[in-house]
Amino acid sequence: MPDDGHEHNGHEHVPSRQRRRFPGISSRAYEHPADRSALVSLRKLSGFDTVFKALSGLLPERSLRLLFLSDSVRVSDQQFAHLNDMLRDACYILDLEKVPPMYVNQDPQPNAMCIGLDEPIIVVTTGLVELLDEEEMRAVVGHEVGHALSGHAVYRTILLFLTNLAIRVAWIPLGTLAIMAIVTALREWFRKSELSADRAGLLAGQDLQASMRGLMKIAGGNHLHEMNVDAFLKQADEYEAGGDLRDSVLKILNLLPRSHPFTTIRAAELKKWAESRDYQRIMDGHYPRRTEDKDTSVSDSFRESAASYATNVKSSKDPLMKLVSDIAGGAGDLGGRVRRGFGGFASSTPTQERPTTDEPPTDEPPTDHQED
C-alpha cells in the first residue's frame, strides 16, 4: 500500500511524498544471498546472540554512546529536523517499530554507520550531510535502517572492535593471526551486507537515480556536472572484465583489507537488483514477512547462497572466475591457459634477467572511504 503520510506505529510527521511501504517486511526480502545465509545460520544457533553479547561485555558500547551523546549532535525535531524526518520515514516504510537514535558527527570524511550491541545507533558525518542532496541522503538513511532491521549492528560493532584490537596488539609475535582470521571473515560477510543495505536504501528512497548519484558522489565528490551514471557503471564492467589472472589476484588483494565493496561494483549490483523480478515482486507487495522468519530453513538459505555464487562465477567476466568456471566444466589444457593468463610469467626461464631496484614499492591499496 502507498505511504499516505499518516501516523503509524509512532512514526508521525513522515514526508508526504507518495512511497510504497512494506508492513512486516522481513530483511530476507532484500538481503544478498551470501549475507542472508550467514545471518540465518547465526540466528538459528540456540542462544548464539545471548552468548555473543555476553562475550561482548568487554566492548566499550556504553563509552561509544556517551561519546556520541557528548560530542555529536543528536537528530531530533529541534536538530537536523530534515534528517529526523528521513529517519522516521525510512523506519515507517521498512516497518522498523523502534526508531534508532541518530547522531551527526563533525568529520569532513563522508561516512555513515550503524553500530551497537543492545540497540542500534546510526551515525552520519557532516561530510556526508554536506555532500548529498535530500533524495541521495534518504537512500543512505534507508541503508542504515536496513542494517538495523537486519541485525547487522552487533556484528559491525564486533568488527570495529577486533580491527582496533588487531592494530594495538600488532607488536606481539603471532598475536594478530587469530584476530585477523576472524576480521577477514567478518569483512567478507560485511561486504555482502553492504549490498543488502544498498537494496534497503533503494526500498526506502524508491529512487534508483538518487541511489546511483549518491554512490558516484562518494567515489568522486560533489561534481555531478562532471560525472555520468552510464559511464560510471561502465567502469564496473571494465574493472571486472579487464586484465589477466595477475590482475584478478591483485583485485582480491586490494579488496581483502576493505570493509566495503568497491563503489562502482555497488552501483552495478544495485542497478542489476533494481531491474530484477525480485525487486518488482517486493514493490508489488509480495515479500517475506517477519512472522515467517522462524520457519526459515537454513539449508534453503545455503542452497540459495550456493546458487548465487555459482551464477556469479558462471556469468563473471573476470579472468580468474572464467578459469574457475572452465575447471568446473572440465576444460582441457589447463596449464596452458594458466600460463597465458599470467602473460607468460609461468613460462619464463631462470636465465632471463629481470630488472632490480633498491627502491621500495610505492603503490598502496586505495583507502576505504565509504558509507556503511
Side-chain angles (χ1 to χ4, degrees), residues 112-325:
M113 60 182 173
C114 179
I115 58 174
L117 299 177
D118 296 323
E119 294 182 356
I121 61 174
I122 295 173
V123 181
V124 297
T125 65
T126 52
L128 190 67
V129 174
E130 293 164 3
L131 177 66
L132 304 182
D133 67 25
E134 180 177 347
E135 293 303 313
E136 295 157 6
M137 193 69 199
R138 191 182 300 279
V140 170
V141 172
H143 175 113
E144 300 306 327
V145 169
H147 276 311
L149 183 59
S150 289
H152 292 162
V154 172
Y155 313 111
R156 173 59 167 164
T157 305
I158 296 294
L159 175 58
L160 288 173
F161 173 75
L162 290 178
T163 302
N164 291 332
L165 180 62
I167 294 173
R168 293 178 182 178
V169 300
W171 60 274
I172 302 176
L174 304 180
T176 61
L177 290 182
I179 295 175
M180 288 311 299
I182 299 173
V183 167
T184 299
L186 280 171
R187 280 176 177 162
E188 170 60 18
W189 158 74
F190 197 77
R191 285 191 291 268
K192 297 300 186 294
S193 78
E194 285 298 294
L195 301 179
S196 299
D198 283 344
R199 296 174 177 183
L202 178 58
L203 291 176
Q206 298 174 26
D207 185 340
L208 179 60
Q209 290 304 310
S211 295
M212 293 289 105
R213 292 198 310 268
L215 289 169
M216 280 201 310
K217 284 185 176 181
I218 289 169
N222 193 13
H223 304 282
L224 277 180
H225 63 289
E226 298 284 357
M227 295 185 282
N228 177 275
V229 171
D230 292 335
F232 188 66
L233 291 171
K234 284 181 181 177
Q235 289 181 225
D237 189 61
E238 181 179 343
Y239 170 81
E240 182 184 10
D244 54 21
L245 291 180
R246 291 171 297 183
D247 294 305
S248 297
V249 174
L250 291 175
K251 292 174 189 176
I252 295 172
L253 294 177
N254 283 341
L255 187 62
L256 283 177
R258 298 172 61 93
S259 62
H260 290 68
F262 294 115
T263 316
T264 57
I265 304 302
R266 289 174 63 183
E269 286 282 341
L270 184 60
K271 186 173 186 293
K272 185 194 309 182
W273 186 71
E275 295 171 347
S276 72
R277 178 59 181 159
D278 289 340
Y279 175 73
Q280 189 57 55
R281 283 181 58 82
I282 296 174
M283 296 304 295
D284 290 341
H286 305 294
Y287 52 82
R289 265 66 174 178
R290 291 196 286 273
T291 54
E292 305 164 353
D293 284 351
K294 63 182 182 299
D295 301 320
T296 302
S297 168
V298 176
S299 58
D300 287 347
S301 295
F302 274 122
R303 278 194 293 269
E304 289 180 21
S305 179
S308 174
Y309 274 118
T311 300
N312 288 342
V313 169
K314 188 175 181 179
S315 62
S316 176
K317 300 176 183 177
D318 181 81
L320 181 58
M321 292 299 100
K322 282 185 176 180
L323 181 62
V324 170
S325 180

Side-chain angles (χ1 to χ4, degrees), residues 69-132:
L69 185 62
S70 64
D71 205 32
S72 300
V73 176
R74 183 162 58 191
V75 171
S76 67
D77 286 332
Q78 293 78 40
Q79 301 185 118
F80 289 100
H82 72 292
L83 294 181
N84 198 41
D85 285 343
M86 291 181 195
L87 177 61
R88 289 176 177 175
D89 192 32
C91 292
Y92 178 60
I93 289 174
L94 296 177
D95 202 13
L96 183 64
E97 292 187 5
K98 187 171 183 179
V99 180
M102 181 175 176
Y103 294 89
V104 176
N105 183 47
Q106 170 60 30
D107 185 343
Q109 178 62 47
N111 199 9
M113 60 182 173
C114 179
I115 58 174
L117 299 177
D118 296 323
E119 294 182 356
I121 61 174
I122 295 173
V123 181
V124 297
T125 65
T126 52
L128 190 67
V129 174
E130 293 164 3
L131 177 66
L132 304 182

